[in-house]
Amino acid sequence: QWAGPGTTHNLESIVIGRCYSYIRVVNPSVGEKNCLQIWEAFQLAFVNKDPCSVLPSDYELYINLTLHKIPPNKSLFWENNKLLVHRYADKAQRFVPLGDSLMGWIADDLDWCGQTNYPGVDYISCPTTSECENNAKESFWRIASVTYAKISSGIIYIMLNGSSPGGAFPNESFFADYELPNFQSAQVSRFEIWVNDEIEGPDLDSCGTGSLKSLGSLLDSRGYTHSCTDNYR
Ligand code: ENP
């Protein structure tokens, strides 16, 4: 029925397992969390519901239960370079991008959506954002992005892809729409932008030109100091 992949099988086991794995092995510094309650809060947002009627606020309990501090200077935002960012971040060892925080770690690469009929979850297909905006995944990442930006502090790092055909900084992006408006200016010292081209890839965009100019202006208009480095090693 829908264009997106259906719910990942064994979702409950994966969510609960990832939660325990995160708090016990990956990043025990976040302290004790109730993984069963976290699963209950997660499924509460979408199970047995119309897959196009899930709002970001439906995940509020999940966000509150998974929340932990992100150390200053450890936040890393990105666009179109997921693999590089997460290899570099090294499971929260070097940086803590949203996908390496508990709320993002649990959901990363999973698919999920509900349906009103039995069994309450659609394992066949899920709506994409072009089919309906208020879908289970989109709403999840929206509230997660807003929350992550709000709790980020110190130097804020942004890693972008200089070989991206649409420009390193797409003007419609989670960063522009949900993160940039939600930084707490009093706790942010400055922005450090890295523009990395793909290995052997084209150099389509770089610091100070094209889409990076727009990002610079957006940061200026909000009064933030920023610097940019091309192909930071
Ligand atoms: P894409 O399209 O390159 O990659 C999206 C994939 O990364 C999906 O598999 C998604 O898991 C997972 N993911 C991890 N963090 C996020 C996320 N944070 N997000 C959406 N998906 C995420 O990434 P996008 O869509 O451009 O998003 C990058 C954004 O993440 C940046 O704004 C960055 O600063 C932010 P799943 O379960 O959906 O398959 C926010 C939105 O941290």
Side-chain angles (χ1 to χ4, degrees), residues 74-91:
K74 292 288 184 188
S75 287
L76 176 57
F77 295 81
W78 55 277
E79 250 14 285
N80 300 313
N81 49 11
K82 185 178 179 189
L83 184 63
L84 174 65
V85 162
H86 290 87
R87 279 191 180 161
Y88 185 62
D90 198 13
K91 299 184 188 168

Side-chain angles (χ1 to χ4, degrees), residues 67-216:
L67 206 60
H68 57 79
K69 290 197 173 79
I70 308 290
N73 315 321
K74 292 288 184 188
S75 287
L76 176 57
F77 295 81
W78 55 277
E79 250 14 285
N80 300 313
N81 49 11
K82 185 178 179 189
L83 184 63
L84 174 65
V85 162
H86 290 87
R87 279 191 180 161
Y88 185 62
D90 198 13
K91 299 184 188 168
Q93 298 302 297
R94 189 178 284 123
F95 279 98
V96 190
L98 176 55
D100 284 0
S101 73
L102 180 58
M103 62 178 155
W105 178 271
I106 287 176
D108 196 23
D109 287 331
L110 301 180
D111 290 294
W112 68 95
C113 65
Q115 61 182 27
T116 47
N117 298 336
Y118 180 84
V121 167
D122 191 341
Y123 290 104
I124 311 288
S125 67
C126 288
T128 58
T129 300
S130 49
E131 290 173 298
C132 63
E133 200 177 326
N134 293 333
N135 69 69
K137 281 182 65 176
E138 181 72 15
S139 291
F140 175 90
W141 289 112
R142 285 184 184 182
I143 190 171
S145 295
V146 167
T147 308
Y148 177 65
K150 281 186 179 163
I151 61 175
S152 291
S153 68
I155 306 170
I156 306 290
Y157 294 87
I158 309 176
M159 202 191 280
L160 300 172
N161 186 338
S163 303
S164 196
F169 178 65
N171 42 14
E172 264 204 19
S173 61
F174 273 95
F175 186 77
D177 297 338
Y178 302 101
E179 294 169 337
L180 187 53
N182 286 298
F183 288 108
Q184 307 292 295
S185 54
Q187 67 191 26
V188 170
S189 51
R190 62 187 176 86
F191 284 81
E192 173 87 44
I193 302 156
W194 292 324
V195 182
N196 297 326
D197 297 330
E198 303 267 354
I199 295 169
E200 307 288 315
D203 174 14
L204 301 177
D205 214 354
S206 41
C207 292
T209 62
S211 72
L212 276 316
K213 226 178 186 164
S214 323
L215 175 56

